[in-house]
Amino acid sequence: MLARTADSLYWMSRYMERADIVSRTLANGFYASYDISSRQVFNWSALVKIFCYRTDEEIEAIAASSDNVLRELLIRDKNNSLKELVLKARENARGAQEHLTKEVWESINETYHSTVHINIEKVIADGDQMNLILHKIDESLIYYGVFENTMPRGQGWNFMNLGRFVERSMQTLNFAEAKFAAFNNNDPECLSILYWKNLLLNLSGYELYLKSYRGENHMQNITDMIFLKNIFPRSITYSFGKIQLYIRNILKENNHPNNPLIERKTGALFSKIAYTDLQGIREKGVLAFIEELKSDLYQLSQLIGQSFFSYY
């Protein structure tokens, strides 16, 4: 496979995964804002900060209004708005179209056209925000359905899944970092499950959490679930396991001088999460552990890019 094709498939998949989590984050934020009393305002700041690379003042201005957040994350943000993400995903898909099935290309193309034609001011004026967001989530589900059920399990599949799980790992770490950084052990609200609920909803793990854990030590339970629970598809253990699987498949079919180094780096990354436990994470500190994993993952991504993508 040509390097530029592998690059296009990898980044197309990363952008589609990020677009999916932007849509679900917006939906959960709106649901949460409907649940709280009229005297309270849902705090969007942490979520806006994850996706919008702005100054603190600009983030607070955006986060002051749910409709501003909707405008920014659906249309306006030049880096991670839904419109920008599906535009970049479609550009990459076009560059590798002969390696995609007709159904995958059509799914991305339809998502692109329905997104660029959004009249955001009319949606807000009509009070149709939730219907729009739910439609975007449905489009993501359709994309993943046709992706899973039509793509051949060859090199393209491996590069697409590698991009998918690198992006998923990064976003899980970003969401966890924002929540743990705001945690205050002396604030009774932080000790409640309500403090963690939106994080779990954004990671599609709320129901699994309620079924899996008992007791009031939510911080410890959340740490276990997000980092170590191997049946949770957005946990770091699960995502790193998938990264290791797809990198091994890629290395089998690509003879590159960096292969031994990539294999060692991948093994070290997976071992770091596979052979730790709650006590080990607690001793290091959750935020320090997250920072270390993000740094290692970024270095591995750079090495993959330098070895298999054309622009390095």
Side-chain angles (χ1 to χ4, degrees):
M1 173 173 285
L2 293 175
R4 65 172 179 273
T5 303
D7 177 45
S8 294
L9 294 173
Y10 173 86
W11 278 104
M12 181 205 80
S13 195
R14 286 197 66 167
Y15 291 132
M16 289 303 288
E17 177 74 17
R18 202 179 307 171
D20 175 56
I21 200 165
V22 167
S23 299
R24 286 187 294 105
T25 299
L26 280 171
N28 292 324
F30 270 88
Y31 279 131
S33 68
Y34 295 155
D35 282 345
I36 61 180
S37 73
S38 58
R39 290 175 301 174
Q40 296 174 297
V41 177
F42 178 72
N43 190 344
W44 289 93
S45 300
L47 297 179
V48 174
K49 194 171 185 177
I50 288 174
F51 297 113
C52 301
Y53 308 142
R54 305 291 187 86
T55 65
D56 290 345
E57 291 77 14
E58 289 172 331
I59 287 171
E60 290 306 318
I62 295 168
S65 157
S66 296
D67 288 338
N68 278 347
V69 175
L70 191 73
R71 291 185 183 98
E72 204 68 26
L73 287 182
L74 277 184
I75 301 295
R76 291 183 179 170
D77 188 80
K78 294 179 180 176
N79 296 298
N80 286 318
S81 68
L82 193 69
K83 179 181 176 182
E84 189 66 22
L85 292 170
V86 297
L87 172 64
K88 289 187 282 195
R90 184 173 179 266
E91 286 174 353
N92 281 284
R94 184 188 291 279
Q97 195 172 346
E98 67 272 23
H99 293 271
L100 299 174
T101 59
K102 172 176 172 288
E103 290 85 354
V104 169
W105 164 250
E106 288 178 349
S107 173
I108 292 174
N109 208 28
E110 287 176 14
T111 301
Y112 163 78
H113 284 292
S114 71
T115 305
V116 296
H117 292 120
I118 291 173
N119 184 338
I120 191 69
E121 298 308 325
K122 185 175 187 306
V123 168
I124 292 171
D126 292 348
D128 210 22
Q129 295 94 327
M130 278 308 298
N131 283 336
L132 173 65
I133 297 168
L134 293 176
H135 178 64
K136 292 294 149 194
I137 294 173
D138 286 344
E139 287 178 335
S140 286
L141 294 174
I142 291 170
Y143 163 75
Y144 281 117
V146 297
F147 169 65
E148 290 288 344
N149 288 296
T150 66
M151 280 296 296
R153 272 46 176 173
Q155 285 197 69
W157 167 260
N158 290 319
F159 277 110
M160 288 167 73
N161 271 301
L162 178 59
R164 176 186 181 184
F165 284 101
V166 167
E167 184 65 33
R168 182 173 294 188
S169 301
M170 281 292 188
Q171 295 305 335
T172 296
L173 291 170
N174 286 338
F175 276 90
E177 184 177 41
K179 205 66 180 177
F180 279 95
F183 181 81
N184 180 353
N185 204 35
N186 296 318
D187 183 350
E189 288 189 11
C190 289
L191 304 179
S192 161
I193 184 59
L194 293 177
Y195 175 77
W196 303 97
K197 183 177 179 180
N198 219 47
L199 169 65
L200 291 167
L201 289 173
N202 288 334
L203 299 178
S204 301
Y206 185 60
E207 291 79 12
L208 179 61
Y209 180 84
L210 296 180
K211 291 174 183 172
S212 303
Y213 296 93
R214 296 290 181 269
E216 298 298 319
N217 194 343
H218 297 299
M219 184 178 188
Q220 175 178 296
N221 295 340
I222 295 283
T223 303
D224 182 67
M225 179 160 165
I226 288 179
F227 291 97
L228 305 176
K229 198 170 188 62
N230 59 12
I231 64 166
F232 176 40
R234 292 186 182 275
S235 75
I236 298 302
T237 292
Y238 184 91
S239 296
F240 280 10
K242 292 294 184 183
I243 289 172
Q244 186 180 45
L245 168 68
Y246 294 113
I247 285 182
R248 281 178 175 169
N249 291 344
I250 289 168
L251 297 186
K252 284 178 188 173
E253 299 189 24
N254 292 275
N255 185 21
H256 191 279
N258 282 348
N259 279 13
L261 178 59
I262 294 171
E263 194 160 17
R264 284 200 303 277
K265 289 274 188 185
T266 307
L269 179 70
F270 182 70
S271 298
K272 189 168 287 185
I273 194 72
Y275 295 103
T276 193
D277 55 18
L278 280 174
Q279 185 176 345
I281 297 174
R282 194 161 44 238
E283 288 172 356
K284 188 179 288 290
V286 176
L287 291 176
F289 190 56
I290 289 173
E291 185 176 351
E292 191 174 303
L293 293 178
K294 286 174 73 173
S295 175
D296 290 349
L297 187 58
Y298 177 76
Q299 290 176 32
L300 179 61
S301 300
Q302 290 290 99
L303 182 59
I304 293 288
Q306 290 163 6
S307 305
F308 298 117
F309 302 156
S310 59
Y311 55 85
Y312 286 91

